[in-house]
Amino acid sequence: LEEYCRKQAVDHLKTNLLYMTQGRYIADKAVTQQVLAQNSGRKSKDRPPEKKEKKKPEGTVFTEEDFRKFEREYFGAA
């Protein structure tokens, strides 16, 4: 029973809250603004997604008349 009590988890919430609330050090506004400016936009979630350029479907250089001319020259009269 003694060993069980010794290994029992201890709740440190009250002591931690007391420690956090007693510390009253407040940084200068200039320092906090500098830190915020340095860290803004460094995370990937803060960056806007990069827009990929949509590729236009490649059109043909030849006209319909060029195809007909090729057809006549290569296959003969069509």
Side-chain angles (χ1 to χ4, degrees):
L1 186 63
E2 291 174 10
E3 184 149 342
Y4 171 77
C5 290
R6 210 172 346 142
K7 291 185 179 181
Q8 186 78 17
V10 180
D11 187 20
H12 297 286
L13 178 66
K14 288 182 182 178
T15 54
N16 287 342
L17 284 176
L18 186 64
Y19 175 77
M20 293 288 191
T21 55
Q22 284 179 350
R24 292 289 178 198
Y25 176 75
I26 299 173
D28 294 334
K29 286 217 179 243
V31 174
T32 56
Q33 291 301 322
Q34 184 181 8
V35 169
L36 289 173
Q38 239 178 5
N39 288 327
S40 66
R42 293 182 68 174
K43 298 177 188 168
S44 62
K45 70 175 186 175
D46 294 336
R47 295 185 189 150
E50 294 179 11
K51 294 181 181 177
K52 295 182 180 178
E53 294 181 16
K54 293 181 180 177
K55 290 185 178 180
K56 295 180 182 176
E58 295 182 14
T60 179
V61 184
F62 303 104
T63 62
E64 193 63 35
E65 183 59 38
D66 291 333
F67 283 118
R68 282 193 216 115
K69 183 179 175 186
F70 171 75
E71 206 172 54
R72 275 185 259 123
E73 290 174 358
Y74 193 75
F75 296 113

